[in-house]
Amino acid sequence: MAGGLIDDGNMGDVWPVVHPGRTADEYGSARISPAGPFEVRSFQTIELTYTVGRFGLDDSGSIKIVQRFPNDGGRLQVDDPAAMNFVSARASKHCRLTVVPERNGHQRPWERSLRIIVGGGSLHQGDTITVTFGDRSGGSPGLQLQTFCESAHEFRVLADPCATGHFIPLPNRPHVAIVAGKPERWKAVLPTHGKPGTPFTLGLKAEDLWGNPSHQAARALRLEADGTVQGLPERVDFPAGERALRIGGLIAPGDGIVRVRVFDADGTLLTASNPLVVRADGSSGFWGDLHGQSGETVGVNPIEEYFAFGRDLAFLDVMSHQANDFQVTSTFWQRINAVTAELDDPGRFVAFPGYEWSGNTPMGGDHNVFFRKSGETIRRSSHALLVDRSDLDNDANTTADLFEALKSEDCVLYAHVGGRPADIARDDGGTLRTAVEVHSDWGTFEWIMKDSFARGYRLGLVCNSDGHKGRPGASYPGASQFGALGGLTCFLGDTLSRDGIFEALRRRHHYGTTGCRMFIDVRASLPTGGRRYDTDPRYGPAESQEVHHAVMGDIVQTADGTCRLDVEVAAHAPILRVDVLNGPEVVDSVRGYSKDQLGDRIRVTFHGAEYRGRGRQTTWKGEARFDGTRIARFQPINAWNHDRLLAQQDDNTVAFDVLTTGNFIGFDAWLSNATGDLTIGTDHAGGRFRLAEIGIDETVLEAGGLERQIRIARLPDTCRQDHLKHTFRCDLNPTGDNPLWIRVTTEDGFNAWSSPIYLFRDGV
């Protein structure tokens, strides 16, 4: 067999090959020691020993040791034996070994590569090469491990015994186990929508510094609730060795807002839950993260662990699996359908089969495909990494081809901004494409929502993770190119089932957040009423009915020139601001504080990205200096990567070297008095500002790029309003759509957005 690819059916196995056989006798074997378990981000020394096979290892032949793309552990180096991540290699017989770290030295998803080249001789069967990762003999602290857990973190070995440049993967798969660290913060999770007398569940967990649920959290806890909650125990014991605890059968007997506070045995407040709004006339809300990958493609851990994390550790109600289509074998597609069918449990948990259509941006860009039922045909953008091409005729190479192929299927699509940003202007998805993804691990992308308005689309808004680190529903970015915490979507409806969630999807009855859970209700009232369409009437006849009110996602034709917009938000943290937008423009706002409450707190935030594509990461490096005052207290905002600098240096200075990918990061500085000057210097923008002139309205510095800005504002010393109700009067444009939607910003740096209510006055 000359050239070509081989796929052995295991996780992510697509390899160049020159021989059909891969036995240990022919190409060798490898073993690793110790195998762990090791804590995330710890320093370790790990030895991998390769035993040469029957073909030997010729002069200038080599082996590669490769690791997966998501790995955000230390970058291997061979130049400084005293520095972290030093790696060395030795052979069992005399020859010269050259060790070459290769940043992108192998094929997706195994981009991380270490190549060991034999010189000055050759190795025979039974000879060995021992590679020491984190060699401490020269003073190195060791190899710094990744920030996330992995049940089998592989050091995959490939051999090129004949020095031809073709590397053959060994049949055995050396790996170590990576587990969570000690608890740093506690989380208490409630549903956000409830009805009196309907049972609900409280989820508890403790996360380590990097966001992994910790198995080291055993302790006694005391629970208190705002309002009456029947069935809530006063004390619980968090089990030893467990990573989460569910307390079910809880009931709120009447309308109100429920929050649960969690205390240590000594009375120390550990955390407070998100709010649960209980209304007899309210809809239910179900939380989901429908976009992520597992280790069968470019993520980590098997698909079963992926779903178990989201359901059991992130307390999700709804999930899907979204592997890059060009890496999904026919066998794995069958497995995706089988696993989601097995896990789908109406009333408790919903799992959809699906995939990420991963066409390049010129072909339409990334789109997520979700099927209501199992067993449908996968329509790939290409077979780029697949050996079996027997179903090549099923491919849909452009979004136009995809929409045509799926037009009679029971499915919906999202437009995604990831490595291949969706170009929603290229093709109109009609009623198939129901939403755009405004936030994920890749960042925040309000611009794609605004693009949809410009094209006249009537789409909903979702947020997901596109997580690659095995943590759907709680997808922290770690120390890698992903700069944002993964998002969540709340689906509004009455039934937790595939049918119920699909109804919410097709009617755009959902809203998204940058990772928190908050209650949002947005309703439009029309003086003389209007006609609500169940589907977008631009795409053909649609059932309709007369209404006087509309909720998020509705499409309504009206003769009215104004409407009343009633907004209610209950959040886990104080609410800074709620903006009302008509299409791309902010038309009104309300804050959770007033001008006379402003104090001596100055907020500085960095926003935006380089451009829309894969290399959108913007680095902000510099310092902020307060002259004529001093920093009495300092607090970072959205600083998820703990390896990057964002810290108070002295009484006057904050230094930073941070990353944004469309989202924002920054800090609050409580000053001894808000007088004097603030000087900000970065590699993109800067200036000097009189603190007395910084008020309730943000000072904005444009910094080029894509929506790249520095924003400065004054805040109250303490914010308290975590529940806000407000009525807005909105004027409606006489022609075209009026997409009315809101954006919420909380004190601790989270955003949330409602899907728009589409009101129009002219013809369909």
Side-chain angles (χ1 to χ4, degrees), residues 7 9-10 13-14 296-297 324-336 378 380 385-388 391:
D7 182 350
N10 292 312
D13 277 357
V14 185
E296 287 82 359
T297 52
N324 294 117
D325 59 0
F326 53 66
Q327 200 177 342
V328 178
T329 65
S330 296
T331 300
F332 185 46
W333 178 237
Q334 293 172 5
R335 190 167 157 215
I336 290 170
I378 181 172
R380 300 180 183 88
L385 286 176
L386 296 176
V387 180
D388 179 2
D391 59 352

Side-chain angles (χ1 to χ4, degrees), residues 16 146 179 209 227 259 521 525 624 630 637-638 668:
Q146 63 194 29
V179 298
L209 180 66
R259 301 174 192 266
D521 186 66
S525 299
R630 65 178 182 82
I637 302 162
N638 287 344
D668 283 346

Side-chain angles (χ1 to χ4, degrees), residues 40-41 72-73 145-149 208 210 212 469 471 477-479:
V40 295
R41 224 50 181 164
D72 58 7
L145 300 183
Q146 63 194 29
T147 64
F148 54 94
C149 301
D208 68 15
W210 294 94
N212 303 292
K469 294 182 170 70
R471 300 182 291 197

Side-chain angles (χ1 to χ4, degrees), residues 112-127:
R112 279 201 175 197
S113 173
L114 183 75
R115 186 174 181 180
I116 298 97
I117 307 167
V118 175
S122 58
L123 298 176
H124 297 77
Q125 185 174 17
D127 291 336

Side-chain angles (χ1 to χ4, degrees), residues 436-487:
V436 295
E437 191 178 75
V438 166
H439 179 88
S440 70
D441 280 357
W442 292 92
T444 301
F445 314 106
E446 281 192 14
W447 54 261
I448 195 170
M449 193 82 241
K450 296 172 182 178
D451 280 1
S452 75
F453 299 146
R455 302 298 301 178
Y457 300 149
R458 291 161 175 166
L459 300 175
L461 180 151
V462 293
C463 300
N464 295 291
S465 68
D466 190 17
H468 292 55
K469 294 182 170 70
R471 300 182 291 197
S475 188
Y476 291 85
S480 64
Q481 64 174 313
F482 297 102
L485 178 67

